[in-house]
Amino acid sequence: MRSCFARAKLCTNRPQKVCLCPFLPAHRLNISTNLYIIQHPAEENKVLRTVPLLAACLPQDKVKVKIGRRFNEERDPELSAICRNPSTLILYPGAEAINLEELVSNSPNNLSTIIIIDGTWSQAKDIFYKNSLFRLPRQVQLKTSVSSQYVIRTQPTNRCLSTLECAAVALAILEKNDHIQETLLRPLQALCSFQLQHGAQIRLSKEHLLKNGLYPKPMPKNKRKLRKMELLMNSVKI
């Protein structure tokens, strides 16, 4: 069994019996795509975040995590150069986004980097729309019917995926290798299994709770928030 110290700091605070290291690949995955994670500061200290699992599976020179809310050319010239590179993509759903799988089939050899925003949906939206740099790369989205396996954290809708899951699907498409997705999901599945065995509960999406009359909080009085709730109940993309 692989030691708890096989990946730096991943399992430092976890007992040996729930160590996640045995579920990591024996060798970091060999990928050609560069992955940039733009992480909201609120995610940095969350215990059950998925980015450390993702980073532990990938080559250190292929994944970079940048923490912050605001980015510009003066503050981060490296990120600015990445965003201006025509071979860079940013994963963020929306009307302007291209389906990643379709883009890859039409541009097989000209995609070197993908940017993914790590945070809640409201945090990701704030980062995307308030940083003009992130509207320079081609915007892509995932067309998948897969439900999230990150069942210990509440998602807005049944279609929302964690950062690790988004990266797993995107890298599998970009690298044309389904094994990548399976390998990256393995430690996430183990994390959720361990948490459920030790008292955690399966978290259903807000969409599911609202549709089935199970939402535990009173409906918001704020009109904008109420409208969001109504959209969730009607499965409208927000």
Side-chain angles (χ1 to χ4, degrees), residues 8-172:
K9 297 184 180 179
L10 179 62
C11 291
T12 303
N13 298 316
R14 296 183 69 86
Q16 179 72 35
K17 64 181 180 180
V18 292
C19 172
L20 297 171
C21 293
F23 301 93
L24 301 175
H27 303 284
R28 292 175 187 264
L29 293 172
N30 182 24
I31 59 171
S32 60
T33 306
N34 296 299
L35 174 63
Y36 276 75
I37 302 292
I38 307 301
Q39 187 175 77
H40 190 279
E43 287 292 312
E44 188 179 4
N45 295 316
K46 287 186 177 177
V47 176
L48 299 176
R49 61 197 189 279
T50 64
V51 169
L53 295 177
L54 177 62
C57 296
L58 300 175
Q60 291 176 310
D61 64 339
K62 289 295 181 183
V63 58
K64 185 164 287 190
V65 180
K66 290 186 173 287
I67 301 168
R69 293 184 180 88
R70 301 292 177 262
F71 299 87
N72 55 51
E73 190 163 4
E74 200 172 287
R75 175 186 169 185
D76 200 324
E78 177 202 6
L79 183 61
S80 176
I82 291 294
C83 288
R84 294 179 189 281
N85 190 317
S87 66
T88 297
L89 308 173
I90 185 162
L91 184 65
Y92 190 84
E96 303 297 318
I98 307 165
N99 178 260
L100 179 59
E101 205 156 10
E102 292 175 8
L103 181 63
V104 169
S105 66
N106 295 325
S107 311
N109 300 312
N110 192 33
L111 305 170
S112 65
T113 303
I114 188 162
I115 298 170
I116 299 177
I117 302 174
D118 179 46
T120 65
W121 280 97
S122 60
Q123 290 165 352
K125 183 177 181 180
D126 178 74
I127 288 174
F128 181 75
Y129 284 107
K130 292 187 178 177
N131 289 280
S132 58
L133 276 182
F134 298 141
R135 291 192 296 286
L136 295 175
R138 278 179 287 183
Q139 186 181 344
V140 296
Q141 61 188 357
L142 301 175
K143 187 179 180 181
T144 176
S145 58
V146 175
S147 294
S148 177
Q149 297 184 45
Y150 193 27
V151 295
I152 54 175
R153 190 166 174 179
T154 303
Q155 304 285 9
T157 77
N158 299 328
R159 302 177 299 279
C160 292
L161 301 178
S162 67
T163 302
L164 181 146
E165 291 170 307
C166 287
V169 175
L171 288 173

